Amino acid sequence: MEIIDLTYTIDKDIPVWPGTPKPMLGSLCSYGKDGFRETALGLTSHMGTHMDAPAHLFAKGKTLEQFPAAHFIGKAVVIDCTGIKEGEYITCKYIEPVRELADAADFLLFRTGWEKFWGQEEYMRRSPGLEVDTAKYIARAGKKGVGIDTMSIDAAEARELPAHKVLLGTNQMVIIENLCRLKELGSGLSDLIALPLKYEYADGAPVRAMAYI
């Protein structure tokens, strides 16, 4: 069994959505002064590799701590979208080559190849995202969630977040964003574990996402 970490490390230089504060990673206690080390963490709920809850967009939507833990574990398949260009939309044609696997999976993970821009301005400029009709198809399929290797499941230019609204509007799905290393999962089903930080009224949270094949 091989375990693949799909999570970016949170550091002071991690890319964040424009206007979002960077993380604060401060020394609270030190070996020399206190005999042990402790770090003060200041994080936003949608930082780094993270999960969106329905409550991210909907006032009466489910928060992450309201989902059973089993919801964050399941079979996943990677949808190869690496031929997509800036600002384009992911249509169902990308799912069609792996339709049987997609039907069997709990999570659909969209690999656009945008990981190569991580840490660069291009990562957040004109990134691709799900077409609304694709989001509607996934919502009807009753999946646990979707994931993507970009900052948002919506294209960067989609300011109204239509794919988010469709998927989170089911009140039964989660979205995982800023995934990495999806190429290493291959073309078959893998077992995904994406555990969000558990806190009260969680509209979203950083996750440690990993898969084993």
Side-chain angles (χ1 to χ4, degrees):
M1 181 176 67
E2 182 181 5
I3 297 177
I4 299 169
D5 192 349
L6 309 175
T7 314
Y8 285 109
T9 299
I10 294 176
D11 60 30
K12 62 182 179 61
D13 297 317
I14 195 169
V16 296
W17 197 257
T20 300
K22 291 278 191 177
M24 294 180 289
L25 308 173
S27 177
L28 192 62
C29 299
S30 65
Y31 301 124
K33 179 183 174 219
D34 306 287
F36 61 92
R37 180 183 170 198
E38 187 172 3
T39 302
L41 303 176
L43 308 173
T44 59
S45 56
H46 299 266
M47 177 172 288
T49 305
H50 69 273
M51 182 178 290
D52 294 351
H56 182 37
L57 292 187
F58 299 101
K60 295 184 179 180
K62 190 179 293 187
T63 54
L64 289 179
E65 81 280 8
Q66 292 176 323
F67 282 92
H71 193 90
F72 308 126
I73 301 172
K75 297 291 183 182
V77 64
V78 174
I79 310 297
D80 188 352
C81 309
T82 51
I84 202 165
K85 297 179 181 177
E86 287 188 12
E88 289 187 345
Y89 286 82
I90 298 169
T91 65
C92 285
K93 75 175 184 180
Y94 290 99
I95 300 175
E96 199 58 45
V98 290
R99 174 76 66 173
E100 290 187 13
L101 291 173
D103 288 344
D106 301 301
F107 294 89
L108 304 185
L109 308 180
F110 294 92
R111 178 179 170 242
T112 67
W114 234 247
E115 177 182 354
K116 65 186 176 184
F117 297 123
W118 180 253
Q120 303 175 41
E121 184 181 354
E122 288 87 346
Y123 189 74
M124 284 176 282
R125 289 180 58 248
R126 292 187 54 77
S127 56
L130 279 189
E131 183 187 58
V132 172
D133 285 345
T134 310
K136 289 179 179 178
Y137 160 75
I138 297 168
R140 289 193 300 268
K143 303 301 182 186
K144 288 184 176 182
V146 300
I148 196 165
D149 61 351
T150 66
M151 185 69 76
S152 173
I153 198 69
D154 273 292
E157 62 182 23
R159 299 302 180 188
E160 299 300 317
L161 304 178
H164 273 82
K165 289 176 180 177
V166 169
L167 297 170
L168 298 181
T170 66
N171 209 34
Q172 297 297 325
M173 295 185 66
V174 296
I175 298 170
I176 312 168
E177 295 165 327
N178 290 329
L179 289 166
C180 61
R181 299 177 66 188
L182 292 180
K183 181 179 180 180
E184 297 178 45
L185 300 190
S187 57
L189 288 176
S190 58
D191 291 283
L192 177 71
I193 302 173
L195 300 179
L197 183 67
K198 189 176 182 180
Y199 70 94
E200 193 175 28
Y201 309 127
D203 55 85
V207 299
R208 186 67 180 263
M210 62 189 75
Y212 55 95
I213 54 176

